[in-house]
């Protein structure tokens, strides 16, 4: 059998184990309520779909596009940042369109590190953060995050103990999966840290709009000097419910953006142009749809939190994201998150994501995704009551 060097460093995909059990149960006729993968079920707002439909009828839009994104979309990105965060972005040198944030982060790490370079990522975290470095031949050190952890204490300890010195720190707030949130002062400390230790910062800002109870997530680029040392990624997947469209962008430091632009010029011809044109409408058009999407997730959050607490599974209400990060009930905690997630499918007919899939520090937790309506969430609570 052939061996594939980069695949040899990738462990078995934890989520695949649980997904197989879920699919087997469904094939057996069981009604499994899927609160696992964070795959939005809310349709894309109609005015965005209408613009795509209009643009796709024009043959000139069927040709190869630009790997860095069409000019008008990069200008829309620049205007969006100015309106929302009062951050100036040069659309020609400080912005690039990506095929979702996942692709952009992966290729940016590929172009910025050499084999053996160290990348810091939170642990637990969204899997592409550490695995982008592993795929690129780098070494990863996880910085514990979540309840009971002081991120900066852990970060400084890791920095003192790591050699060679880390090249990149990837962060993401509001955070998936822990739902932790930060203020602007946190990012100020990140910028000071990065300048002192000569580290590049990548901030994944995927959940910028999914925030509740008056909390407003800050942009990393609002901090003075942030553009000197880093970039920020944003995805239209969650804010505008466009996950399958695969549109995101990277903004910030011109050298970093330029590096991503150069490698992408070798790898792709950009996103299908009608999708880019519709994305301009998303960013520049009416934003009430974003509020409505956020309100839907808030209603689901409230239903899930209320139900879990009612059946004896105590969980705090998150201030942001489309997830609930919940410690496994005490009587089941020794099972670990994978076995507990299997049991939830088999005994409660509810699928969740095992925390281990996000890193070893997540193994006492599971993640609920708010991707079912309130009626289905209440049905899930009735199933969970059986094991409580």
């Amino acid at each position: 059998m052939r061996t594939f060097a980069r695949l040899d460093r990738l462990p078995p995909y934890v989520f695949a184990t649980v997904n197989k059990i879920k699919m087997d149960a469904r094939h057996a006729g069981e009604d499994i309520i899927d609160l696992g993968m964070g795959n939005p079920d809310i349709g894309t707002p109609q005015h965005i779909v209408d613009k795509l439909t209009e643009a796709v009828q024009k043959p000139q839009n069927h040709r190869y596009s630009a790997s860095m994104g069409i000019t008008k979309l990069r200008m829309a990105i620049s205007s969006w940042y100015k309106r929302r965060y009062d951050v100036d972005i040069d659309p020609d040198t400080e912005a690039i369109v990506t095929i979702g944030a996942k692709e952009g982060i992966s290729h940016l790490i590929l172009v910025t590190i050499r084999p053996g370079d160290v990348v810091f990522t939170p642990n637990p975290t969204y899997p592409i953060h550490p695995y982008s470095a592993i795929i690129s031949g780098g070494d990863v050190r996880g910085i514990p995050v979540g309840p009971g952890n002081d991120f900066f204490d852990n970060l400084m300890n890791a920095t003192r103990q790591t050699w060679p010195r880390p090249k990149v720190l990837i962060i993401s707030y509001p955070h998936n999966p822990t739902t932790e949130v930060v203020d602007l002062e946190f990012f100020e400390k990140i910028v000071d840290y990065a300048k002192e230790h000569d580290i590049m910062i990548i901030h994944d800002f995927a959940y910028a709009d999914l925030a509740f109870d008056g909390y407003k997530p800050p942009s990393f680029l609002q901090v003075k000097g942030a553009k000197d040392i880093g970039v920020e990624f944003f995805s239209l997947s969650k804010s505008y419910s466009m996950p399958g469209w695969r549109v995101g962008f990277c903004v910030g430091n011109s050298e970093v953006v330029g590096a991503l632009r150069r490698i992408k010029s070798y790898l792709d011809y950009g996103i299908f142009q009608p999708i880019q044109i519709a994305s301009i409408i998303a960013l520049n058009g009416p934003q009430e749809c974003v509020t409505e999407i956020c309100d839907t997730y808030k209603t689901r959050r409230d239903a899930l939190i209320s139900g879990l607490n009612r059946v004896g599974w105590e969980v705090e209400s998150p201030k942001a994201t489309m997830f609930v990060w919940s410690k496994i009930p005490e009587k089941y905690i020794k099972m670990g998150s994978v076995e507990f997630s299997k049991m939830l499918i088999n005994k409660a007919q509810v699928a969740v994501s095992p925390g281990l899939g996000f890193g070893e520090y997540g193994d006492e937790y599971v993640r609920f995704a708010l991707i079912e309506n309130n009626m289905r969430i209440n049905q899930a609570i009735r199933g969970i009551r059986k094991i409580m």
Side-chain angles (χ1 to χ4, degrees), residues 104-168:
I105 291 170
S106 302
H107 285 144
L108 180 55
I109 291 295
L110 181 65
V111 78
T112 52
I113 70 168
R114 293 187 174 96
D117 282 347
V118 177
V119 174
F120 280 175
T121 72
N123 187 334
T125 198
Y126 184 50
I128 198 58
H129 296 161
Y131 291 126
S132 61
I134 291 170
I135 291 167
S136 301
D139 293 325
V140 176
R141 174 136 190 193
I143 313 299
V145 296
N149 280 292
D150 185 307
F151 178 80
F152 277 101
D153 280 352
N154 294 337
L155 178 62
M156 295 312 300
N157 287 335
T159 305
R160 285 190 291 267
Q161 296 167 8
T162 300
W163 187 264
R165 293 299 187 198
K167 292 290 183 69
V168 181

Side-chain angles (χ1 to χ4, degrees), residues 112-380:
T112 52
I113 70 168
R114 293 187 174 96
D117 282 347
V118 177
V119 174
F120 280 175
T121 72
N123 187 334
T125 198
Y126 184 50
I128 198 58
H129 296 161
Y131 291 126
S132 61
I134 291 170
I135 291 167
S136 301
D139 293 325
V140 176
R141 174 136 190 193
I143 313 299
V145 296
N149 280 292
D150 185 307
F151 178 80
F152 277 101
D153 280 352
N154 294 337
L155 178 62
M156 295 312 300
N157 287 335
T159 305
R160 285 190 291 267
Q161 296 167 8
T162 300
W163 187 264
R165 293 299 187 198
K167 292 290 183 69
V168 181
L169 168 63
I170 303 176
I171 52 176
S172 179
Y173 291 99
H175 186 248
N176 172 21
T178 70
T179 74
E180 284 199 343
V181 297
V182 297
D183 55 20
L184 205 55
E185 184 182 354
F186 175 92
F187 288 138
E188 289 170 352
K189 292 170 71 174
I190 288 287
V191 170
D192 291 341
Y193 164 82
K195 289 186 174 183
E196 180 182 351
H197 297 279
D198 191 24
I199 294 175
M200 185 178 84
I201 304 297
I202 297 174
H203 181 230
D204 184 353
F205 201 25
Y207 299 95
D209 291 301
L210 302 190
F212 320 114
D213 308 329
Y215 173 68
K216 295 186 182 302
S219 163
F220 163 71
L221 295 179
Q222 287 178 274
V223 175
K224 183 179 180 181
K227 278 202 284 187
D228 297 338
I229 46 84
V231 292
E232 186 163 77
F233 280 87
F234 178 79
S235 166
L236 277 68
S237 296
K238 310 304 189 301
S239 298
Y240 300 93
S241 209
M242 296 169 64
W245 299 53
R246 307 313 303 133
V247 188
F249 52 80
C250 173
V251 293
N253 182 276
S254 59
E255 290 184 10
V256 177
V257 169
L260 182 56
R261 180 171 64 242
R262 186 173 178 189
I263 196 169
K264 278 177 64 65
S265 70
Y266 286 91
L267 296 170
D268 68 70
Y269 284 111
I271 301 165
F272 186 41
Q273 194 149 296
I275 292 177
Q276 295 193 59
I277 292 168
S279 298
I280 296 169
I281 297 303
L283 295 174
N284 284 346
Q287 300 297 297
E288 289 83 1
C289 59
V290 179
T291 302
E292 291 170 4
I293 290 167
C294 182
D295 288 345
T296 298
Y297 286 122
K298 180 183 182 300
T299 300
R300 294 176 179 183
R301 177 204 68 168
D302 292 345
L304 181 61
I305 294 292
S306 172
L308 289 174
N309 286 324
R310 190 169 61 247
V311 299
W313 188 344
E314 294 184 8
V315 185
E316 289 189 13
S317 188
K319 289 186 177 180
T321 78
M322 53 182 287
F323 306 112
V324 169
W325 182 243
S326 177
K327 194 165 188 177
I328 297 169
E330 192 63 36
K331 65 179 178 177
Y332 296 116
I333 204 162
K334 289 183 179 179
M335 295 177 70
S337 60
V338 176
E339 292 304 315
F340 179 73
S341 297
K342 292 178 184 178
M343 186 188 72
L344 274 183
I345 295 173
N346 291 326
K347 294 189 176 181
Q349 288 73 54
V350 177
V352 298
S353 292
L356 183 63
F358 304 99
E360 63 269 28
Y361 291 112
D363 199 26
E364 292 187 347
Y365 292 81
V366 293
R367 191 196 72 179
F368 294 85
L370 303 172
I371 54 169
E372 294 268 19
N373 62 39
N374 283 21
M375 184 178 72
R376 296 282 284 171
I377 288 173
N378 288 330
Q379 185 180 338

